[in-house]
Amino acid sequence: MKERLFTIPVNEAFEAEDECPFCFLERKNEQEMLDFVLGSAASYMESDVREKTDQKGFCRQHFQLMFQYGNTLGNAWILKTHYAYMTEEMKKITKGTSTAGNAKGMFKKKYQGNDRMETWIKEKENSCYFCDGLEEIRRRYLETFFMMYQKDASFREKVANSIGFCLMHTQQLLAASYEQLGEKQQEEFRQQLLELTQQGMDRLQDEISWLVDKFDYRK
């Protein structure tokens, strides 16, 4: 199959001989998103980007990666408007709500788990600009992977000769294979994938056992 622009990253991921091609893509895409938001292009100053980061916020992992990136002023600008947005949302939720008026009977019935503030906090905890972007990219790469697997014999050989995938991406590939492949090719792919996963687990176990056996505590 003739290589196209959208197939290049997938081929490069397999050629990198990483422990998992999809983990390789994930790290690469994550770094590119960090560069886009906080890098020299200063995308955080663009109103459309800032609007998305204000609304979606960031998970704990990506908060940490942002601070580790090193752009202190860029992070400060992003957080300044993000927290302004958050504060306004909180005011709307808490406006007119008084715990004092409910204190008398608050312990008389079982809590139903529908407190507006609690729901809002849960939504914020599960919202992240980076995670959402990476999830969309992940779906596109899964579709590209299966398109290449169906149409390109050389790519199928590349998959067969790879060292496999991590367990998380193995699960995602298994789930996606039901939608992306026909019944016959699906069975072939799943068998190949499980064999690669087992080989990978055996290899890792052997390598760790070797390290334990050869480890010298005196050094």
Side-chain angles (χ1 to χ4, degrees):
M1 188 178 91
K2 185 178 179 181
E3 191 165 54
R4 302 178 186 179
L5 190 62
F6 61 89
T7 67
I8 292 174
V10 177
N11 273 320
E12 287 180 344
F14 277 89
E15 290 163 4
E17 296 184 348
D18 197 79
E19 280 292 332
C20 172
F22 281 94
C23 285
F24 176 87
L25 286 168
E26 196 172 273
R27 291 194 303 272
K28 183 173 180 289
N29 295 326
E30 189 172 59
Q31 187 60 48
E32 287 174 351
M33 285 190 71
L34 285 165
D35 291 339
F36 172 75
V37 174
L38 288 166
S40 57
S43 296
Y44 60 87
M45 296 303 293
E46 300 293 333
S47 59
D48 58 332
V49 175
R50 189 76 69 81
E51 183 179 0
K52 291 177 181 176
T53 58
D54 287 348
Q55 292 176 3
K56 291 182 179 295
F58 312 94
C59 67
R60 298 181 187 190
Q61 176 187 344
H62 286 116
F63 254 134
Q64 185 175 4
L65 289 176
M66 287 167 66
F67 289 129
Q68 290 173 350
Y69 190 89
N71 186 346
T72 303
L73 181 60
N75 274 301
W77 271 111
I78 290 170
L79 294 181
K80 178 183 177 181
T81 53
H82 171 56
Y83 278 105
Y85 183 90
M86 294 264 285
T87 302
E88 287 303 310
E89 279 198 335
M90 276 187 66
K91 287 178 180 177
K92 291 176 183 178
I93 290 170
T94 58
K95 187 177 180 181
T97 301
S98 173
T99 56
N102 297 327
K104 185 177 179 181
M106 67 185 299
F107 298 112
K108 289 187 176 181
K109 60 181 181 179
K110 187 177 179 180
Y111 175 58
Q112 300 298 313
N114 58 356
D115 182 89
R116 290 178 64 198
M117 190 65 176
E118 181 191 7
T119 301
W120 179 77
I121 292 172
K122 283 182 177 179
E123 289 174 353
K124 293 303 174 185
E125 283 290 304
N126 293 316
S127 178
C128 174
Y129 173 82
F130 288 99
C131 288
D132 289 354
L134 290 169
E135 174 62 18
E136 178 59 32
I137 294 170
R138 182 192 68 83
R139 284 198 296 266
R140 291 204 302 268
Y141 278 137
L142 277 173
E143 291 173 0
T144 301
F145 171 89
F146 282 109
M147 183 273 291
M148 296 168 69
Y149 189 86
Q150 287 175 296
K151 297 182 178 181
D152 190 345
S154 64
F155 181 72
R156 287 196 296 274
E157 185 177 351
K158 190 177 291 186
V159 173
N161 293 328
S162 72
I163 60 174
F165 308 87
C166 70
L167 289 178
M168 181 182 73
H169 288 116
T170 295
Q171 182 273 322
Q172 292 174 0
L173 286 164
L174 286 170
S177 68
Y178 285 110
E179 299 177 358
Q180 300 292 334
L181 299 176
E183 188 173 341
K184 183 178 178 181
Q185 198 170 31
Q186 181 187 118
E187 184 60 33
E188 174 190 325
F189 171 75
R190 290 170 65 82
Q191 183 63 37
Q192 181 184 75
L193 182 59
L194 293 174
E195 288 175 2
L196 285 172
T197 303
Q198 186 61 63
Q199 290 170 15
M201 293 291 285
D202 292 341
R203 176 179 52 80
L204 287 172
Q205 184 180 11
D206 288 343
E207 290 178 359
I208 294 168
S209 296
W210 178 89
L211 175 63
V212 171
D213 293 341
K214 298 296 181 181
F215 185 78
D216 187 348
Y217 70 91
R218 293 168 296 184
K219 291 183 179 180

